[in-house]
Amino acid sequence: MFIDSVEIEIKAGSGGAGFVSFFRDTMTMFGGPNGGDGGKGGDVIFAGTTNVDNLVHFHYNQKFEAENGFDGASANKHGRNGKNLIIPVPLGTKIFNEDKELVADITESGQEYLALHGGAGGLGNFHFKSSTRRSPNFAKGGIKTKSYRVFLELNCIADVGLIGFPNVGKSTLLSIISKARPKIANYHFTTLYPNIGVVNYKGRNILFADIPGLIEGASDGVGLGHSFLKHISRTRLLVHIIDISESEGRDAVKDFRIINSELKAFGIGLEKKRQIIVLNKCDMAAEEQIKGFRAKVKTKEIIETSFVTHKNIDRLIHSAFIALEETPEEVPEKIVSILEKKGNPREFNAFFAGGAFHLSGQLIENLLRGTVINDAVSNNNFQNKLKEYGVIDRLIEMGIENGDTIKIDGYEFIYER
């Protein structure tokens, strides 16, 4: 199975909670606070690897979560940080956010993209001791992380793309010049996914990709072409293979023009890539067919060959090598957006529904993390913070009156002026 686009859900680890404890031993009955901090949650990281060549492993697992941080403990013991989650992806993988904006382009082995940061751990009660608060009976919870949907799209990375109609010999050529062993048979769409072959020439490895499924209408989704035209975008050079013998009753010149029309219609500039034209099956063609093609397709980069006799195969590889030397490498797309959107720590939402006033938002969440609701001192501090940050003023503007209910994250409060 070959899969080149998937949608997955990722989530960084939440931070561990701070701990509430007080020092006790045989000599000390009422020691000070010594609750430790919670550990940081694990990050989510995408990493480029050559060990996988497509996105099929995401077909079976579409949810990925890093490990949560561990809670703190007594004696100021810090909770263990959660383990980072490393997600391997094949080279050529683009990562898009929920708005389909590109956030990363993985093109090199070992390249990493830090997609999500783990949540910070909460502070233990040791941090809340002061001259006026000797026995803080509360600690902060860790920051809770949320899930994100991301889209992965694979565009195969290769130096040379082999293009042409089905049955012109793309897979056969790949098997001749490299150790790749694509499926070869005498029917359309034998190749159902791009095959990559490595050719070592003059000490340099050249990657050839067999691009399947190109027929008339491919750019509009006919056949398999719409799924695989995008794989040509990574290549620097195209080798356009033509069945010059017209053994299947086709017109070689017409086929050449149709393929180039489909490249242009796809709309990302594929038609501008340099091409070497390879006339295959010359051993079966009449001289008039070859001369006629050359007369109508006026370009110097035409190589006559036969994949059966291996005529001019070495010349083809040499020509590809020279063309690549003359063609600058394309710079990978830059990141245009970040995945995590940092919110305003003072932001909150207030609305009336179901007979009660509801409060939510990052400010409310941050305040709740440092509050023990059933502790009078902590609860009072929480309510003072609501006044300090303008939350109560907002409720008054909305018309709140004595005795009205305020709901916050499952808790209910009665408002009293």
Side-chain angles (χ1 to χ4, degrees):
M1 183 184 294
F2 181 87
I3 294 178
D4 57 9
S5 60
V6 294
E7 178 183 356
I8 63 173
E9 183 178 305
I10 58 176
K11 182 179 180 296
S14 296
F19 197 72
V20 176
S21 67
F22 297 89
F23 179 73
R24 298 287 188 272
D25 66 10
T26 55
M27 302 296 295
T28 306
M29 292 295 293
F30 301 103
N34 69 347
D37 301 341
K40 173 184 172 295
D43 300 332
V44 176
I45 301 170
F46 289 93
T49 178
T50 57
N51 294 330
V52 292
D53 60 5
N54 75 90
L55 305 174
V56 65
H57 51 295
F58 294 104
H59 178 71
Y60 304 101
N61 182 17
Q62 297 177 348
K63 289 188 176 182
F64 298 84
E65 293 187 12
E67 186 178 42
N68 293 331
F70 287 72
D71 295 344
S74 60
N76 291 323
K77 292 180 181 178
H78 194 290
R80 180 167 65 82
N81 292 338
K83 293 180 181 178
N84 293 338
L85 176 64
I86 309 294
I87 303 177
V89 294
L91 306 189
T93 300
K94 292 181 178 181
I95 304 171
F96 299 86
N97 63 16
E98 294 178 345
D99 298 323
K100 299 299 179 70
E101 296 173 315
L102 179 68
V103 295
D105 189 3
I106 308 297
T107 59
E108 299 178 3
S109 181
Q111 177 185 349
E112 292 186 345
Y113 168 59
L114 176 56
L116 297 176
H117 294 269
L123 300 178
N125 70 332
F126 169 79
H127 294 274
F128 301 102
K129 179 181 177 181
S130 69
S131 58
T132 58
R133 186 191 297 132
R134 299 298 183 89
S135 302
N137 193 35
F138 59 91
K140 281 197 173 184
I143 290 180
K144 304 300 181 183
T145 56
K146 66 176 185 177
S147 298
Y148 287 80
R149 304 294 297 180
V150 294
F151 301 87
L152 308 183
E153 180 179 286
L154 173 63
N155 293 349
C156 291
I157 292 181
D159 300 300
V160 182
L162 304 180
I163 63 173
F165 269 83
N167 282 4
V168 296
K170 299 187 297 294
S171 297
T172 300
L173 175 61
L174 192 67
S175 68
I176 292 171
I177 63 179
S178 72
K179 293 183 180 180
R181 292 296 177 262
K183 182 180 179 181
I184 301 172
N186 188 29
Y187 57 86
H188 287 187
F189 306 132
T190 305
T191 305
L192 299 179
Y193 54 88
N195 289 296
I196 304 292
V198 181
V199 178
N200 186 276
Y201 187 75
K202 293 188 176 182
R204 172 180 172 176
N205 286 333
I206 304 175
L207 298 181
F208 284 75
D210 169 13
I211 309 297
L214 298 189
I215 60 174
E216 187 171 11
S219 60
D220 293 323
V222 177
L224 305 176
H226 190 263
S227 299
F228 298 118
L229 271 166
K230 62 185 178 183
H231 292 291
I232 303 175
S233 65
R234 296 282 192 178
T235 61
R236 296 161 54 202
L237 172 69
L238 299 179
V239 170
H240 193 157
I241 303 174
I242 303 291
D243 177 5
I244 194 60
S245 72
E246 301 176 335
S247 58
E248 295 190 354
R250 305 191 61 83
D251 183 299
V253 175
K254 183 179 179 181
D255 284 358
F256 171 77
R257 290 173 177 167
I258 287 175
I259 293 296
N260 279 282
S261 294
E262 293 303 322
L263 296 182
K264 185 176 182 178
F266 197 60
I268 59 173
L270 301 181
E271 75 282 0
K272 298 177 183 178
K273 291 183 180 290
R274 184 170 175 177
Q275 288 189 28
I276 295 176
I277 302 169
V278 174
L279 302 183
N280 186 27
K281 303 182 183 180
C282 286
D283 56 325
M284 300 169 56
E287 189 65 27
E288 291 77 14
Q289 290 174 300
I290 298 174
K291 289 182 178 179
F293 185 91
R294 285 184 173 275
K296 294 178 180 178
V297 181
K298 300 182 183 298
T299 176
K300 294 181 179 179
E301 294 190 281
I302 296 180
I303 298 176
E304 300 172 19
T305 186
S306 167
F307 298 161
V308 174
T309 65
H310 293 195
K311 173 186 176 182
N312 285 336
I313 294 295
D314 290 340
R315 179 187 167 192
L316 168 59
I317 296 175
H318 177 75
S319 297
F321 175 82
I322 296 300
L324 290 173
E325 289 287 298
E326 297 173 349
T327 305
E329 293 189 17
E330 296 183 8
V331 179
E333 294 186 65
K334 295 182 179 179
I335 296 175
V336 298
S337 176
I338 60 173
L339 188 58
E340 289 180 293
K341 306 293 184 182
K342 291 188 176 181
N344 183 348
R346 298 291 182 91
E347 182 180 28
F348 67 92
N349 301 312
F351 63 95
F352 184 82
F357 291 85
H358 298 257
L359 294 176
S360 62
Q362 191 162 334
L363 171 65
I364 306 301
E365 292 175 5
N366 290 342
L367 293 178
L368 274 178
R369 284 196 307 110
T371 301
V372 178
I373 297 297
N374 58 5
D375 178 82
V377 175
S378 178
N379 195 327
N380 186 64
N381 180 65
F382 171 68
Q383 295 185 42
N384 287 335
K385 290 293 184 181
L386 292 179
K387 294 178 182 178
E388 179 182 340
Y389 290 120
V391 178
I392 300 301
D393 288 340
R394 174 78 64 82
L395 293 176
I396 292 174
E397 291 174 2
M398 295 174 62
I400 194 170
E401 297 179 353
N402 283 337
D404 286 346
T405 300
I406 302 174
K407 291 188 176 182
I408 306 176
D409 194 31
Y411 295 102
E412 290 192 4
F413 301 85
I414 301 300
Y415 176 72
E416 293 182 1
R417 190 184 293 269

